[in-house]
Amino acid sequence: MNIQLLLMETILLWLLSVSSGALQRPDYDDTSTPEFLTPSWMADIPSSRPLSEVTMPGTHNTMALYGGGLAECQSWSLAQQLHAGVRFLDVRVRHVGGNLTIHHGISYQYAHFGDVLQGVDAFLKEHPSETVLMRLREELSETGDIYAAVNCPPCMLYSSLFIADDWQVPSLDYVPQKWKSVYTHLERAQVDEKSRMYLTYSSGASIRAWPYALARRVNPLLYEFLTARVGTPRRFGIITMDFPGAQMCRTIISFNWASRTAA
């Protein structure tokens, strides 16, 4: 592609992100505060139910709140995400000399992994009925030794999950292909063995499809898919998003019960 044209498209995307303003919709929210909170929804789930049978909202690149349109994937703080019902965190760390700093690519997120642990610990002490899952991934550095830095081996292998993460979306013209990947995986999650944990990423990015711009197009499709199925219990597994709305989170949560609706 012509470099000058690519640069012009990048500048246009940046201008749109600056001028479009924050939005708070049922499916998408890039404001600083969720519309409402759902902090203790797991209290109503029987303790005997395996996590693989629980449908839960998650966030992609949970701590990516800084760095501009191409780097930012969320607008709520960690505490706000947890109180809004998010139970799967995707945390990216750079490992330097035994220290784990939070990064999205080259963009430092003004936090350390210890801040994440303290935030989760504080939330769980306040809401002991809840369970929080976390994916920990090395970003920018290539030591391959991040678990030694926290002195904790992974309790669940990420590779043991059945994952759809087609995150490379060349441009916004590829939204239909991205949505097909998400839709197919969610449909399969409903009928596959309940012992198999499903993880579906609705997020994606590229230089021509920034996270917020893609989420503004994919999140409505996901919300429409979910609301059309509200009213009956379904197992979708973990649905991981960029800039989810509070109502989207509540709708995902509602599938854990037969009679509960997302209203």
Side-chain angles (χ1 to χ4, degrees):
M1 172 183 256
N2 183 286
I3 296 298
Q4 187 176 15
L5 178 60
L6 181 60
L7 179 60
M8 290 177 63
E9 288 184 347
T10 303
I11 293 173
L12 178 60
L13 280 170
W14 180 81
L15 289 173
L16 287 172
S17 70
V18 170
S19 63
S20 59
L23 294 177
Q24 187 172 72
R25 305 188 314 219
D27 59 282
Y28 174 95
D29 192 345
D30 59 12
T31 69
S32 60
T33 307
E35 187 177 4
F36 52 82
L37 304 177
T38 314
S40 299
W41 62 269
M42 284 184 146
D44 295 331
I45 294 180
S47 58
S48 59
R49 184 181 300 180
L51 280 174
S52 62
E53 296 184 18
V54 177
T55 295
M56 67 178 75
T59 48
H60 157 257
N61 236 308
T62 300
M63 300 294 290
L65 280 70
Y66 305 100
L70 189 54
E72 295 168 13
C73 299
Q74 309 299 331
S75 60
W76 302 339
S77 69
L78 173 62
Q80 289 170 332
Q81 291 179 42
L82 292 170
H83 281 85
V86 170
R87 294 294 176 268
F88 175 85
L89 311 178
D90 173 30
V91 178
R92 315 293 179 91
V93 296
R94 182 185 184 188
H95 186 196
V96 179
N99 294 315
L100 300 179
T101 55
I102 306 298
H103 271 257
H104 182 191
I106 63 172
S107 296
Y108 173 54
Q109 296 301 315
Y110 304 99
H112 291 249
F113 185 58
D115 300 323
V116 177
L117 293 180
Q118 290 176 6
V120 173
D121 180 65
F123 174 77
L124 292 176
K125 285 179 178 176
E126 183 182 1
H127 302 282
S129 63
E130 306 306 289
T131 296
V132 177
L133 303 180
M134 184 188 303
R135 176 201 183 189
L136 185 61
R137 172 182 168 181
E138 187 168 12
E139 191 103 343
L140 195 61
S141 59
E142 298 180 355
T143 65
D145 195 27
I146 56 176
Y147 288 103
V150 295
N151 195 28
C152 177
C155 302
M156 181 188 303
L157 291 177
Y158 185 70
S159 59
S160 69
L161 279 62
F162 190 49
I163 304 167
D165 185 16
D166 295 317
W167 66 271
Q168 293 181 316
V169 182
S171 74
L172 296 177
D173 293 335
Y174 285 78
V175 166
Q177 291 90 325
K178 171 62 183 179
W179 171 241
K180 182 179 179 181
S181 169
V182 173
Y183 173 89
T184 301
H185 206 247
L186 292 176
E187 286 284 276
R188 187 170 180 180
Q190 298 176 76
V191 299
D192 201 357
E193 290 290 335
K194 294 293 181 65
S195 61
R196 197 173 191 185
M197 185 172 288
Y198 269 67
L199 171 58
T200 307
Y201 286 89
S202 66
S203 54
S206 74
I207 193 66
R208 298 179 64 194
W210 291 8
Y212 86 91
L214 188 66
R216 287 187 181 185
R217 289 159 175 81
V218 175
N219 287 16
L221 299 173
L222 175 60
Y223 188 63
E224 181 181 12
F225 171 90
L226 294 170
T227 54
R229 292 157 176 78
V230 165
T232 56
R234 298 173 187 257
R235 192 285 297 262
F236 291 114
I238 305 164
I239 303 177
T240 303
M241 303 157 284
D242 283 342
F243 301 104
Q247 185 61 38
M248 177 87 91
C249 292
R250 178 178 285 182
T251 301
I252 293 170
I253 291 165
S254 74
F255 289 105
N256 290 293
W257 299 277
S259 60
R260 184 170 300 189
T261 67

